[in-house]
Amino acid sequence: MAKQIWLNLPVKNVAKAKDFFWKIGFSFNEQHDTPTSTCMLVGEGNFVVMLFEDTLFESFSKNKIADTQLSSEILISIDAESTAEVDELAEKVKKAGGTVFAPPAESQGWMYGAGFADLDGHRWNVLYMDFSKLPQQQ
């Protein structure tokens, strides 16, 4: 069965997308860089997110790319180690040219998160979860 999973995202301009994600703290495996794609690494486990320019993405997906201004096909969630890290990432996103569509806030009494869109409109969610505050079932 499957040994790994990775996510493929279409981008308008791979160099601009790479610069954006670099500015907000992600790293890259540059051995896999091409003029129209890059390999982004997320988290301690180095989860792979491949960024492909639109034309290349469409060539192997055999489908048109969704208009991220009108709809969402995916919400990519990442964790944070603290509320301060959520706040910092939201600020980095703004400075790098992304959009914070859900400012940092508490949710359900045990989560603190923010939502942002990257340069291509893909939606991301960053959450700090304080499991000590998770409501206990009776």
Side-chain angles (χ1 to χ4, degrees):
M1 191 57 192
K3 297 177 193 166
Q4 291 182 319
I5 184 172
W6 60 91
L7 183 67
N8 299 310
L9 287 178
V11 298
K12 302 261 183 276
N13 180 302
V14 74
K16 287 181 180 179
K18 185 176 179 180
D19 184 58
F20 169 81
F21 286 110
W22 186 264
K23 285 178 181 175
I24 68 169
F26 292 116
S27 60
F28 294 83
N29 180 346
E30 295 183 343
Q31 292 177 318
H32 298 290
D33 274 8
T34 74
T36 57
S37 68
T38 191
C39 177
M40 184 168 69
L41 305 173
V42 180
E44 292 174 2
N46 288 327
F47 183 86
V48 174
V49 178
M50 293 296 299
L51 305 177
F52 293 102
E53 288 196 0
D54 289 350
T55 306
L56 180 58
F57 185 92
E58 285 182 343
S59 76
F60 58 77
S61 72
K62 306 295 186 212
N63 211 354
K64 293 287 181 197
I65 295 168
D67 184 343
T68 57
Q69 299 302 309
L70 300 175
S71 60
S72 295
E73 188 171 63
I74 189 169
L75 175 64
I76 306 161
S77 295
I78 55 176
D79 69 334
E81 293 186 22
S82 66
T83 58
E85 188 175 19
V86 171
D87 294 341
E88 290 168 15
L89 185 60
E91 284 305 311
K92 286 180 182 178
V93 165
K94 289 181 206 173
K95 289 179 184 173
T99 303
V100 175
F101 63 83
E106 188 176 298
S107 175
Q108 300 178 34
W110 64 281
M111 292 185 289
Y112 184 83
F116 68 92
D118 63 29
L119 299 181
D120 291 280
H122 304 296
R123 293 192 172 235
W124 297 71
N125 184 37
V126 57
L127 285 173
Y128 167 68
M129 295 173 277
D130 185 345
F131 291 106
S132 71
K133 295 180 179 178
L134 183 66
Q136 301 299 312
Q137 291 187 6
Q138 302 291 322

